[in-house]
């Protein structure tokens, strides 16, 4: 038997000349340069996005649905970074629109503390011991001396890791690129800045980097990193203008803290990410135009590197089966990847609960609306499931 390609069709031909299998190959025009929507070709022939959230993606699927059939020049991951109040959100949204990519905003702590019924766990703080109380950005900015502030930074790291896995799964299954506002790769900038100013302990920092050492090799680095550069004086001016109370009156957002943040971004993050991804840096003191940035992006040849060049090496896998294997990994094994975060350490009391604290937390949470049983079985939240009394209690934190 032999495989024969004819006019966009792959056929499996038996020795007697009979066609045993015929598969229509999608006619997608491949290009190494990202292009804006004004100049993109038609994508009508692109296969429909794979319903990976419901179907998953397995070996059988891979026989009939190849990963790169959906890919085109814009099937890439772009991360956007910059200091506080730099205008990242609006820029990243505009960039995603211009490139017809999916936009993923920076994680918010509502994802941790608001359950699927809309109940906010932060309202339980007065019933909980200090180690169990919710903590978020405004708490850090107003009370950085709180020893449990490390929980906030670790939650942000976990959510960024979670989102980056989602971004990879999206690209592999739909062919649509993704623009992320900050990412797991720049998360350490905030950890290091907090540590340098005494808000986190040496053991917390050590534990953080131990986790990052285990999780980052499992990911594929972005194709392009964009940094919006804004001087510290202008950052402070913008903070004042947007007039958010906990930012304006923050004990943290001093000239010294913002200068350290800027320095780590430029001296560590940008230097490191530029070894693996394309990098564009813009003076965003007076903001800018996403369309101009798109023109710069369109000039980048992402396919100019040799096989063993470290830049973009993650994305040069060789055979189609390797791309399919990566697709299966990010599509099906997210729970496995998230377990890479579970590294036991007994020398970080800021991140630990005693047995009594844990018992109080679980009791208080279980008595709050929508938290006693699995979703769909909580009568106190309006559910009418017949098996309400037999389901396992839903525990947020162990």
């Amino acid at each position: 038997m032999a495989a024969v390609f004819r006019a966009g069709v792959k056929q499996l031909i038996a020795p007697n000349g009979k066609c045993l299998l015929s598969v229509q190959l999608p006619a997608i025009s491949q290009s190494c340069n990202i292009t804006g929507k004004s100049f993109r070709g038609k994508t009508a022939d692109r296969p429909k996005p794979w319903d990976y959230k419901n179907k998953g993606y397995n070996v059988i699927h891979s026989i009939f649905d190849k990963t790169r059939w959906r890919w085109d020049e814009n099937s890439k991951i772009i991360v956007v970074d910059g200091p506080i109040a730099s205008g990242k959100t609006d820029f990243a949204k505009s960039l995603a629109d211009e490139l017809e990519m999916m936009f993923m905003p920076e994680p918010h702590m509502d994802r941790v503390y608001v359950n699927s019924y809309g109940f906010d766990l932060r309202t339980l703080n007065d019933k909980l011991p200090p180690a169990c109380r919710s903590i978020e950005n405004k708490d850090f900015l107003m009370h950085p001396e709180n020893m449990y502030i490390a929980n906030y930074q670790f939650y942000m790291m976990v959510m960024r890791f979670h989102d980056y896995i989602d971004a990879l799964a999206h690209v592999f299954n739909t062919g649509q690129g993704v623009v992320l506002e900050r990412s797991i790769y720049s998360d350490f900038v905030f950890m290091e800045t907090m540590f340098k100013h005494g808000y986190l302990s040496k053991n917390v920092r050590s534990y953080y980097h131990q986790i990052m050492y285990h999780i980052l090799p499992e990911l594929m680095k972005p194709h392009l990193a964009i940094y919006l550069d804004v001087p510290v004086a202008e950052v402070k001016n913008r903070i004042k203008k947007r007039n958010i109370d906990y930012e304006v009156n923050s004990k943290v957002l001093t000239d010294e803290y913002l200068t350290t943040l800027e320095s780590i971004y430029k001296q560590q993050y940008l230097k490191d990410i530029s070894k693996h991804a394309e990098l564009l840096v813009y003076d965003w003191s007076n903001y800018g135009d996403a369309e101009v940035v798109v023109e710069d992006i369109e000039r980048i040849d992402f396919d100019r590197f040799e096989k063993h060049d470290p830049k973009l090496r993650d994305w040069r896998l060789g055979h189609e089966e390797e791309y399919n294997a990566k697709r299966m990994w990010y599509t099906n094994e997210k729970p496995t990847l998230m377990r890479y975060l579970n590294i036991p350490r007994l020398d970080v009391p800021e991140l630990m609960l005693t047995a009594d604290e844990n018992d109080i937390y679980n009791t208080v949470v279980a008595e709050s609306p929508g938290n006693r049983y699995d979703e769909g079985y909580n009568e106190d939240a309006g559910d009418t499931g017949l098996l309400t009394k037999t389901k396992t209690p839903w525990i947020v934190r162990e």
Side-chain angles (χ1 to χ4, degrees):
M1 291 185 289
V4 180
F5 294 85
R6 297 193 182 101
V9 176
K10 181 179 180 180
Q11 296 178 328
L12 188 63
I13 307 298
N16 62 5
K18 184 178 180 180
C19 178
L20 300 178
L21 178 66
S22 180
V23 179
Q24 182 70 40
L25 300 178
I28 296 178
S29 174
Q30 294 291 328
S31 170
C32 53
N33 294 67
I34 293 177
T35 55
K37 61 184 178 183
S38 300
F39 298 98
R40 292 194 73 193
K42 294 182 179 180
T43 58
D45 293 329
R46 182 206 298 269
K48 293 181 180 179
W50 182 259
D51 186 14
Y52 65 99
K53 293 183 179 180
N54 294 311
K55 293 182 179 180
Y57 183 73
N58 57 38
V59 174
I60 302 301
H61 295 146
S62 70
I63 297 173
F64 304 100
D65 194 274
K66 303 301 182 185
T67 296
R68 286 184 291 177
W69 283 1
R70 292 181 178 81
W71 284 13
D72 63 12
E73 65 274 12
N74 284 29
S75 301
K76 293 178 172 66
I77 290 183
I78 299 174
V79 295
V80 176
D81 269 276
I84 299 165
S86 59
K88 299 180 303 301
T89 304
D90 290 341
F91 168 76
K93 284 181 180 178
S94 297
L95 183 65
D97 178 65
E98 287 291 330
L99 299 177
E100 297 182 325
M101 295 182 173
M102 182 176 75
F103 167 65
M104 294 186 71
E106 186 170 18
H108 192 278
M109 292 301 289
D110 283 358
R111 286 167 51 180
V112 176
Y113 297 126
V114 180
N115 69 15
S116 58
Y117 296 90
F119 179 77
D120 194 332
L121 296 175
R122 288 169 291 205
T123 60
L124 303 175
N125 274 355
D126 59 344
K127 300 178 181 180
L128 297 169
C132 301
R133 293 171 186 168
S134 60
I135 196 161
E136 54 188 324
N137 187 44
K138 65 180 180 181
D139 299 309
F140 166 57
L141 294 180
M142 294 299 291
H143 304 287
E145 71 283 351
N146 184 342
M147 70 172 287
Y148 300 109
I149 209 69
N151 282 298
Y152 163 66
Q153 180 55 35
F154 271 75
Y155 273 132
M156 291 299 292
M157 178 262 286
V158 170
M159 288 191 288
R160 287 183 175 127
F161 181 53
H162 176 284
D163 287 357
Y164 200 85
I165 298 170
D166 285 350
L168 289 166
H170 185 81
V171 172
F172 272 89
N173 285 284
T174 70
Q176 184 186 31
V178 178
V179 177
L180 295 102
E181 180 185 1
R182 293 206 174 106
S183 75
I184 186 64
Y185 289 98
S186 60
D187 185 79
F188 81 93
V189 174
F190 298 90
M191 166 61 69
E192 290 298 314
T193 304
M194 294 166 76
F195 171 72
K196 286 183 181 296
H197 286 264
Y199 302 136
L200 299 176
S201 71
K202 184 180 296 185
N203 285 351
V204 165
R205 177 177 180 263
S206 169
Y207 184 39
Y208 175 89
H209 285 291
Q210 183 181 5
I211 291 175
M212 295 292 271
Y213 177 81
H214 283 83
I215 65 175
L216 290 183
E218 300 300 324
L219 304 176
M220 298 171 74
K221 299 176 184 66
H223 295 83
L224 172 64
I226 298 175
Y227 181 75
L228 307 181
D229 188 20
V230 181
V232 169
E234 177 58 21
V235 168
K236 295 199 71 174
N237 184 48
R238 292 182 187 181
I239 289 173
K240 184 177 180 180
K241 282 185 177 179
R242 67 185 191 183
N243 198 30
I244 298 174
D245 179 67
Y246 58 83
E247 289 184 348
V248 174
N249 299 310
S250 172
K251 300 177 182 178
V252 175
L253 300 179
T254 61
D255 287 350
E256 293 76 17
Y257 185 87
L258 295 172
T259 299
T260 302
L261 189 74
E262 179 184 47
S263 176
I264 296 174
Y265 251 129
K266 293 180 177 179
Q267 298 302 319
Q268 295 184 47
Y269 169 70
L270 294 184
K271 286 185 177 181
D272 182 62
I273 201 70
S274 65
K275 297 175 184 176
H276 307 283
E278 291 289 346
L279 174 65
L280 293 174
V281 179
Y282 293 92
D283 181 353
W284 221 247
S285 301
N286 297 307
Y287 296 100
D289 190 339
E291 292 185 10
V292 174
V293 178
V294 169
E295 292 176 2
D296 291 338
I297 294 174
E298 289 175 330
R299 298 187 184 98
I300 301 174
D301 179 0
F302 288 88
D303 202 31
R304 70 184 187 278
F305 305 104
E306 296 181 356
K307 181 179 179 179
H308 299 292
D309 194 306
K311 189 166 287 190
L312 302 184
R313 183 168 58 188
D314 289 353
W315 297 91
R316 294 192 294 276
L317 300 179
H319 299 292
E320 186 68 25
E321 289 75 14
E322 295 180 72
Y323 289 91
N324 294 341
K326 284 287 187 182
R327 180 177 169 188
M328 288 181 223
W329 182 234
Y330 296 127
T331 301
N332 306 324
E333 301 301 329
K334 184 176 177 181
T336 300
L337 286 165
M338 296 304 294
R339 283 195 288 271
Y340 281 36
L341 298 160
N342 297 330
I343 301 175
R345 280 282 291 266
L346 301 178
D347 58 347
V348 281
E350 304 95 319
L351 299 170
M352 298 177 64
L353 300 180
T354 65
D356 289 340
E357 289 170 337
N358 189 67
D359 185 57
I360 293 171
Y361 181 85
N362 289 337
T363 300
V364 171
V365 168
E367 292 176 352
S368 61
N371 288 335
R372 187 164 184 78
Y373 302 102
D374 289 345
E375 185 176 353
Y377 297 91
N378 291 281
E379 292 180 334
D380 59 354
D383 292 336
T384 57
L386 296 177
L387 303 179
T388 299
K389 300 297 184 182
T390 65
K391 298 298 287 186
T392 303
W394 176 77
I395 302 300
V396 181
R397 185 174 177 176
E398 295 182 355

